[in-house]
Amino acid sequence: MNIELHYQVEQFLYRHAERCDSQDWDAYLADYAPDCEYHVPQWDAEHVYTTDPKREMSLIYYASRAGLKDRVFRIRTGKSAACNPMPRTLHQLANLRVERGADGLVEARVNWATFYTRFGETRYFYGRAAYTLARNGDGWLIRRQHVLLLNDTVNAVLDFYHL
Protein backbone atom coordinates (compact mmCIF):
# COMPACT_ATOMS: atom_id res chain seq x y z
CA MET A 1 0.00 0.00 0.00
CA ASN A 2 1.22 3.47 -0.88
CA ILE A 3 0.85 5.59 2.28
CA GLU A 4 1.28 8.89 0.42
CA LEU A 5 -1.44 8.00 -2.11
CA HIS A 6 -3.77 6.96 0.71
CA TYR A 7 -3.16 10.27 2.50
CA GLN A 8 -3.74 12.35 -0.66
CA VAL A 9 -7.02 10.58 -1.45
CA GLU A 10 -8.16 10.81 2.17
CA GLN A 11 -7.53 14.56 2.28
CA PHE A 12 -9.29 15.06 -1.06
CA LEU A 13 -12.39 13.20 0.12
CA TYR A 14 -12.39 15.10 3.44
CA ARG A 15 -12.24 18.43 1.57
CA HIS A 16 -14.97 17.29 -0.80
CA ALA A 17 -17.26 16.47 2.14
CA GLU A 18 -16.41 19.78 3.80
CA ARG A 19 -17.29 21.67 0.61
CA CYS A 20 -20.69 20.00 0.61
CA ASP A 21 -21.29 20.71 4.31
CA SER A 22 -20.34 24.37 3.87
CA GLN A 23 -22.45 24.58 0.69
CA ASP A 24 -19.45 25.80 -1.32
CA TRP A 25 -21.12 24.56 -4.49
CA ASP A 26 -18.59 25.94 -7.00
CA ALA A 27 -15.68 24.16 -5.29
CA TYR A 28 -17.84 21.06 -4.78
CA LEU A 29 -18.71 20.85 -8.48
CA ALA A 30 -15.08 21.51 -9.47
CA ASP A 31 -14.18 18.19 -7.82
CA TYR A 32 -16.07 16.33 -10.58
CA ALA A 33 -14.81 15.62 -14.09
CA PRO A 34 -17.18 16.96 -16.79
CA ASP A 35 -17.95 13.39 -17.92
CA CYS A 36 -18.33 11.94 -14.43
CA GLU A 37 -21.07 9.52 -13.45
CA TYR A 38 -22.97 9.88 -10.16
CA HIS A 39 -25.09 6.87 -9.22
CA VAL A 40 -27.21 5.93 -6.22
CA PRO A 41 -28.87 2.61 -7.04
CA GLN A 42 -32.23 1.46 -5.79
CA TRP A 43 -32.61 -1.76 -3.81
CA ASP A 44 -34.32 -4.62 -5.69
CA ALA A 45 -34.31 -7.00 -2.71
CA GLU A 46 -32.85 -7.17 0.80
CA HIS A 47 -29.27 -7.66 -0.45
CA VAL A 48 -29.58 -6.90 -4.17
CA TYR A 49 -29.40 -3.45 -5.72
CA THR A 50 -29.72 -2.27 -9.31
CA THR A 51 -26.52 -2.05 -11.32
CA ASP A 52 -27.45 -0.51 -14.67
CA PRO A 53 -28.70 3.06 -14.21
CA LYS A 54 -29.69 3.31 -17.87
CA ARG A 55 -32.06 0.32 -17.69
CA GLU A 56 -33.01 -0.01 -14.02
CA MET A 57 -34.38 2.31 -11.35
CA SER A 58 -32.01 4.49 -9.34
CA LEU A 59 -32.55 6.79 -6.40
CA ILE A 60 -30.27 9.35 -8.09
CA TYR A 61 -28.44 9.14 -11.41
CA TYR A 62 -26.50 11.81 -13.29
CA ALA A 63 -24.65 10.74 -16.43
CA SER A 64 -22.36 13.78 -16.20
CA ARG A 65 -21.47 16.78 -14.05
CA ALA A 66 -24.19 18.70 -15.89
CA GLY A 67 -26.83 16.89 -13.81
CA LEU A 68 -25.20 18.00 -10.58
CA LYS A 69 -24.77 21.53 -11.93
CA ASP A 70 -28.47 21.66 -12.77
CA ARG A 71 -29.38 20.51 -9.27
CA VAL A 72 -27.11 23.18 -7.72
CA PHE A 73 -28.70 25.80 -10.00
CA ARG A 74 -32.16 24.88 -8.67
CA ILE A 75 -30.89 25.02 -5.08
CA ARG A 76 -29.44 28.48 -5.64
CA THR A 77 -32.68 29.86 -7.08
CA GLY A 78 -34.43 29.08 -3.77
CA LYS A 79 -37.39 27.70 -5.73
CA SER A 80 -36.76 24.03 -4.99
CA ALA A 81 -39.22 22.99 -2.28
CA ALA A 82 -37.12 19.89 -1.65
CA CYS A 83 -34.31 21.99 -0.22
CA ASN A 84 -35.98 25.10 1.08
CA PRO A 85 -34.75 25.52 3.71
CA MET A 86 -31.45 23.76 3.09
CA PRO A 87 -30.56 21.27 5.81
CA ARG A 88 -27.37 21.63 7.79
CA THR A 89 -25.24 18.56 7.05
CA LEU A 90 -22.24 16.83 8.56
CA HIS A 91 -20.50 14.15 6.50
CA GLN A 92 -18.28 11.57 8.16
CA LEU A 93 -16.05 9.16 6.26
CA ALA A 94 -14.43 6.01 7.63
CA ASN A 95 -12.62 2.84 6.61
CA LEU A 96 -10.99 4.29 3.50
CA ARG A 97 -9.49 1.73 1.13
CA VAL A 98 -7.42 2.92 -1.84
CA GLU A 99 -6.19 0.95 -4.85
CA ARG A 100 -4.33 2.16 -7.90
CA GLY A 101 -5.74 0.72 -11.11
CA ALA A 102 -3.70 -0.44 -14.09
CA ASP A 103 -5.27 2.37 -16.11
CA GLY A 104 -3.76 5.07 -13.84
CA LEU A 105 -7.08 5.73 -12.12
CA VAL A 106 -7.53 5.30 -8.39
CA GLU A 107 -10.38 3.39 -6.76
CA ALA A 108 -11.35 4.60 -3.30
CA ARG A 109 -13.99 3.00 -1.11
CA VAL A 110 -15.39 4.46 2.10
CA ASN A 111 -18.10 3.91 4.64
CA TRP A 112 -20.01 7.12 5.31
CA ALA A 113 -22.68 8.69 7.46
CA THR A 114 -24.36 12.04 6.95
CA PHE A 115 -26.21 13.70 9.79
CA TYR A 116 -28.59 16.49 8.83
CA THR A 117 -30.92 18.90 10.57
CA ARG A 118 -33.98 20.40 8.93
CA PHE A 119 -37.19 21.77 10.44
CA GLY A 120 -35.81 21.19 13.96
CA GLU A 121 -35.27 17.45 13.46
CA THR A 122 -31.93 15.67 13.19
CA ARG A 123 -31.71 12.50 11.12
CA TYR A 124 -29.08 10.55 9.24
CA PHE A 125 -28.30 8.57 6.12
CA TYR A 126 -25.47 6.05 5.94
CA GLY A 127 -23.87 3.64 3.53
CA ARG A 128 -20.86 2.82 1.40
CA ALA A 129 -19.39 4.73 -1.52
CA ALA A 130 -16.91 3.93 -4.27
CA TYR A 131 -15.05 6.66 -6.14
CA THR A 132 -13.03 6.44 -9.32
CA LEU A 133 -10.49 9.28 -9.23
CA ALA A 134 -8.24 10.69 -11.90
CA ARG A 135 -5.15 12.80 -11.29
CA ASN A 136 -5.70 16.51 -12.00
CA GLY A 137 -2.46 18.44 -11.54
CA ASP A 138 -1.69 18.20 -7.82
CA GLY A 139 -5.22 17.07 -7.01
CA TRP A 140 -7.98 14.73 -8.12
CA LEU A 141 -11.17 14.68 -10.14
CA ILE A 142 -14.06 12.35 -9.47
CA ARG A 143 -14.76 10.32 -12.62
CA ARG A 144 -17.38 8.10 -11.01
CA GLN A 145 -19.18 8.12 -7.67
CA HIS A 146 -21.27 5.09 -6.74
CA VAL A 147 -23.16 5.54 -3.47
CA LEU A 148 -24.94 2.65 -1.80
CA LEU A 149 -27.54 3.94 0.65
CA LEU A 150 -28.07 1.40 3.45
CA ASN A 151 -31.05 2.99 5.21
CA ASP A 152 -34.13 0.76 5.05
CA THR A 153 -36.46 3.71 4.74
CA VAL A 154 -36.02 7.18 3.33
CA ASN A 155 -38.58 9.24 5.21
CA ALA A 156 -37.30 12.60 3.99
CA VAL A 157 -36.27 14.22 0.76
CA LEU A 158 -33.07 12.59 -0.50
CA ASP A 159 -30.64 14.70 -2.49
CA PHE A 160 -26.96 14.60 -3.45
CA TYR A 161 -25.94 16.70 -0.44
CA HIS A 162 -27.20 13.97 1.91
CA LEU A 163 -24.73 11.42 0.51
Side-chain angles (χ1 to χ4, degrees), residues 2 5 14 34-35 39 45 48 52 65-66 68 71 75 83 109 111 115 123-126 132 139 145-147 159:
N2 182 325
L5 175 64
Y14 286 167
D35 61 345
H39 184 213
V48 179
D52 185 348
R65 183 173 63 192
L68 284 167
R71 189 71 196 110
I75 289 169
C83 56
R109 296 182 179 281
N111 297 338
F115 300 90
R123 298 185 180 194
Y124 63 92
F125 291 112
Y126 70 100
T132 301
Q145 183 173 347
H146 182 269
V147 181
D159 213 327

Side-chain angles (χ1 to χ4, degrees), residues 37-113:
E37 180 182 73
Y38 186 100
H39 184 213
V40 184
Q42 177 176 300
W43 287 96
D44 268 350
E46 187 65 25
H47 296 283
V48 179
Y49 56 87
T50 60
T51 58
D52 185 348
K54 294 177 181 163
R55 296 180 344 142
E56 299 172 294
M57 294 296 293
S58 298
L59 296 174
I60 301 174
Y61 176 68
Y62 299 122
S64 72
R65 183 173 63 192
L68 284 167
K69 284 178 72 171
D70 179 65
R71 189 71 196 110
V72 166
F73 171 79
R74 287 185 276 148
I75 289 169
R76 284 179 166 158
T77 65
K79 295 180 181 177
S80 173
C83 56
N84 193 3
M86 278 294 292
R88 294 187 311 274
T89 61
L90 176 78
H91 289 75
Q92 293 188 331
L93 306 175
N95 299 31
L96 173 65
R97 286 95 57 213
V98 177
E99 294 180 22
R100 186 182 303 273
D103 53 7
L105 299 175
V106 168
E107 297 295 325
R109 296 182 179 281
V110 298
N111 297 338
W112 61 270

Side-chain angles (χ1 to χ4, degrees), residues 2-13:
N2 182 325
I3 299 294
E4 180 61 27
L5 175 64
H6 189 277
Y7 177 77
Q8 290 172 7
V9 170
E10 173 187 66
Q11 293 304 304
F12 170 76
L13 293 175

